[in-house]
Amino acid sequence: FAPPTKLSVVLDNNGVKTTTTKPNTDYMYIKHNSMLFLKTHKSGSTTLIAPFQKYAYLHSLSVMVPNIDFAMFNWPMEFSPNKDNIPAVQNQSFDMMVNHVIFNKSSIAPLMKPDTKYFTVMREPLAHLKSSFQYFGIDVNHTLGTGKAGLEKFLSDPNKYDVMPAWIKSVLPYSRNRVNSLTQNVQSADLGLMHRDFYNQTKVNQFIAKTMRDFHLILILERIHESLVLFRRMMNWEMKDIVFITKNHRPQGFLISDLSEDTRERGRSWCSVDQALYTAASQRLNQLISEENGIDQEIKVFRKVQKLITEFCIKFGSNYTATDVTDTLSIPQSAWNKAFTVDHKFCVLLLLDERDMTLLFKCQQVPHHRECTSASNKQRINDLTDMINGRQPFRYLLFPMIKPPVS
């Protein structure tokens, strides 16, 4: 996936020929535009789909969108083709899918282009468990306490304390109890493993093997820069296409390393399927990276570009309020990227909430959809379009939390 080399031949005044090779950055990119990104819960996927939605918007791609929701295809129920999604215009295939869905390739693939590449992301299971425990309010359900003490008490007897919040209990019978926990193996459940099969080792092994076959790459959140550079090479995109700004960041409170080893071991046991799949995905990532020429240098460049653009697009106050972008930032050419300019539109498309972008895609495809015809949403669409095109200052309509750049 590395850029091809370019041969340069130079004759000096004495007619002596000198040849050199270097990465060719001025060749024509033939980009691969068909992709599915399976958005898993609490795995950094809200951050990651922003560059994908930005790419789709700028390249006028056909994006599959939920029919009755701004962010999910009827999750946690099984996906029903052309019922849970808005059907494609004239029954054409979709270029991209990025929202939450219970993955089932046999029901999704017929709606996508034949050459679609499949991606998802995983988070280290203990970090994921901690995030889910806090985000879904498991501590509140049992007055377990917050922070480290609450999670330790939960893991002292997770079967006792793992009760689903009221907001999801009502839909569980309709999901065939496919998702029956918001703390146990949640990433694997999103990827299609039934809750009842968590302790069936044969089914687990089959699930992991199938997942590794179905996905061209499973990105690893803890190694996101490496993962995205590899993704870029697989898709033959440009570096500007994979730049992201971290969203939904919440204060850590405590570290996983603060937990006792016994507590951590109970957590790994509770999330044993996620742990096994995460290990397999990490090993695959290591293998793929080892096969790439010059990828370490590209990752280093990408980190620098990422930091520059994050600092340019946002400023940070006590509430992480975004600044208006009235200037431009020039990113110079390197061995791994063409020169490009970051402007207002570039920043806004990265900062907007996924639900706003999904609404835009939905109303571009089906302007008469009920979610596109209300007065409030018509105004919202107008505001979004004006913000993207610089006709009004940027402001959050849904207030995602933005993380300061890491030095």
Side-chain angles (χ1 to χ4, degrees), residues 143-200:
T143 61
L144 292 170
T146 58
K148 174 173 172 284
L151 184 57
E152 286 181 330
K153 185 172 182 180
F154 172 83
L155 285 174
S156 70
D157 193 350
N159 285 302
K160 174 182 177 181
Y161 293 119
D162 188 45
V163 177
M164 297 286 268
W167 63 268
I168 197 172
K169 280 185 178 179
S170 60
V171 303
L172 288 181
Y174 303 100
S175 72
R176 296 169 55 203
N177 290 315
R178 176 176 288 280
V179 176
N180 209 24
S181 172
L182 293 177
T183 64
Q184 186 182 28
N185 298 318
V186 177
Q187 298 173 99
S188 295
D190 280 342
L191 287 162
L193 183 65
M194 297 282 283
H195 181 270
R196 68 188 182 203
D197 294 330
F198 284 0
Y199 297 103
N200 183 326

Side-chain angles (χ1 to χ4, degrees), residues 248-294:
N248 287 350
H249 175 69
R250 290 169 174 80
Q252 284 198 341
F254 67 95
L255 302 176
I256 294 299
S257 58
D258 294 334
L259 299 171
S260 69
E261 180 54 38
D262 285 346
T263 298
R264 280 179 277 166
E265 187 54 41
R266 286 194 293 272
R268 284 188 283 266
S269 177
W270 181 244
C271 299
S272 59
V273 183
D274 276 4
Q275 188 68 56
L277 182 57
Y278 181 85
T279 299
S282 298
Q283 291 171 347
R284 169 77 63 81
L285 182 65
N286 289 338
Q287 175 191 343
L288 292 173
I289 287 177
S290 71
E291 296 169 356
E292 290 295 306
N293 293 326

Side-chain angles (χ1 to χ4, degrees), residues 288-387:
L288 292 173
I289 287 177
S290 71
E291 296 169 356
E292 290 295 306
N293 293 326
I295 196 168
D296 291 339
Q297 291 81 3
E298 183 177 352
I299 292 166
K300 189 178 297 185
V301 171
F302 178 50
R303 286 181 182 275
K304 291 179 180 178
V305 169
Q306 172 76 33
K307 183 173 184 292
L308 284 172
I309 293 176
T310 298
E311 291 173 340
F312 174 76
C313 286
I314 57 179
K315 69 177 182 181
F316 304 97
S318 59
N319 60 350
Y320 299 138
T321 301
T323 184
D324 294 330
V325 178
T326 56
D327 202 353
T328 59
L329 173 68
S330 296
I331 302 297
Q333 177 177 308
S334 78
W336 308 108
N337 64 278
K338 297 178 181 179
F340 64 94
T341 300
V342 180
D343 57 11
H344 180 94
K345 177 180 282 190
F346 190 107
C347 292
V348 170
L349 288 171
L350 284 181
L351 290 167
L352 283 175
D353 187 274
E354 65 169 294
R355 291 162 289 182
D356 284 327
M357 292 300 297
T358 299
L359 178 66
L360 282 176
F361 290 130
K362 181 178 293 188
C363 297
Q364 286 174 347
Q365 295 176 32
V366 190
H368 60 272
H369 191 278
R370 60 186 176 277
E371 290 172 6
C372 307
T373 55
S374 69
S376 60
N377 273 350
K378 281 184 177 179
Q379 184 59 52
R380 184 174 166 194
I381 292 166
N382 288 337
D383 288 341
L384 290 168
T385 304
D386 285 348
M387 281 190 285

